[in-house]
Amino acid sequence: MRLVLLSGGSGKRLWPLSNDARSKQFLRVLEDQEKHLSSMVQRVFGQLNEVGLGESTVIATGKGQVEMLESQLGKEVPLIVEPERRDTFPAIALAASYLYTMTNASLDDAVAVLPVDPYVDTAFFKRILDLEKLLGETKADLALMGVKPTYPSEKYGYIVPETSENKGYIKVDHFTEKPDTEQAKQLIRKSALWNCGVFAFRLNYVISILESLGLPLNYEELAQQFAKLPKISFDYAVVEKAKNIVALPYDGFWKDLGTWNTLTEEMATKQIGNGIVSDDSANTHLINELDIPVTVLGVSNAIVAVSPDGILVSDKEQSPRIKEVMKGFQQRPMYEERKWGSYRVLDYTRYSANNEEVLTKKIKITEGANLSYHCHRMRKEVWTIIKGSGRYAENGVIRSIKPGDVVIVTAETLHAIKADEALELIEVQIGSQLIEEDIDRKLLTWEEIEASCAQVRG
């Protein structure tokens, strides 16, 4: 069986930790078996490896999440990078073309699609393996997996059967999205299941849809014509048109950690980061990503989340309102993880007198990692090394760097840096437009950079 994990979109329900660059699946707030902080995506991929599905898994994602995924999972996991955001049908269609033309998958292979961030026991992924058998037994177009409800939730969609469960699966009649409590109770009496976003099909099923749309089946060609794919969800494009859908019940632990109140229920500690939570602050969690201390006294049933993007203090029951409250609020991400390390924005100022921007970052580069060999057109940079040691490349010359060194990078200057040991530096950007698009990358690996530069020791 092949697996496609969907990792897309931005996160606002876990603001201020989640943002356009760091969705909820990347937040390191859970604990792994070694008691280290880990993210949802790291947890999920560890579970997939446990059941032997890791090597047959690909991740469909957008450009903005590539470096975060590589930082947390490494570069071994195949990524299907969407050229632009176009909803779940284009994402799954592109992944299907990748499996068809870039791997040894056959058209008869079963493909399971699921979100990248379910919080479940490992038994959940073992149950996914049964979808392949169900497709074979029923000859269905689609085989879904649904969770047996434990209460009449208004937050989830429901898979409604034609009749009660038969031979371990149900024949799907229709879907109901987020009913009220009374409707949910009625649906549960009809043996409806929570829709957890997991479904499977034979590879040929989606490939034939691409053929009917007159689109190329080759992955690289389809990626070039990605904008021609209809901007529509897989549910509307495929599921609603399927004539034969079955669903497999999963009677085990499953939870959506999409809001602060549900996420904190699964955290192993009530405090992450610098601060104090008093003993009489019952059921209160503090997550602090800043260096300054945060003290919480006598406040119960609350979430206090502090990051470079902002500060949230909320009653836990009210915390799901954050997405609605923050609607329309626009701010550049103030913290990002990259494949080479991470950065945090310390200050940003725009001077109207000369229409110039100044952005100050604290950059951390992992030992052995490097920034690409690149230049900027619209800004200069000043780097002050504060920790670690490494090598700095500039216009064909490489020299060593250490704490206290200051590097001034003028516009059009080719430059790169490698951390021989973990590096920290303060970067000040000064220019008319401080945008990501003002990066002209020439070389990516340090081996390539060394080959193009003369070695100079300093």
Side-chain angles (χ1 to χ4, degrees), residues 337-355:
E337 283 186 31
R338 297 293 182 89
K339 59 186 176 184
W340 42 259
S342 64
Y343 76 79
R344 174 158 64 94
V345 174
L346 303 178
D347 185 64
Y348 169 76
T349 306
R350 171 181 282 278
Y351 296 97
S352 56
N354 58 2
N355 197 31

Side-chain angles (χ1 to χ4, degrees), residues 59 83 107 120 199 236 238 268 270 284:
I59 300 179
L107 289 173
V120 293
F199 54 89
Y236 285 125
V238 179
K270 70 176 184 179
T284 287

Side-chain angles (χ1 to χ4, degrees), residues 116-128:
V116 76
D117 56 4
Y119 189 79
V120 293
D121 294 330
T122 303
F124 179 86
F125 299 102
K126 293 180 180 177
R127 186 65 165 158
I128 286 174

Side-chain angles (χ1 to χ4, degrees), residues 152-154 158 177-187:
S153 172
E154 299 180 1
Y158 287 74
E177 281 299 314
K178 299 181 180 179
D180 59 35
T181 301
E182 282 305 312
Q183 287 177 306
K185 288 179 180 178
Q186 294 175 18
L187 291 170

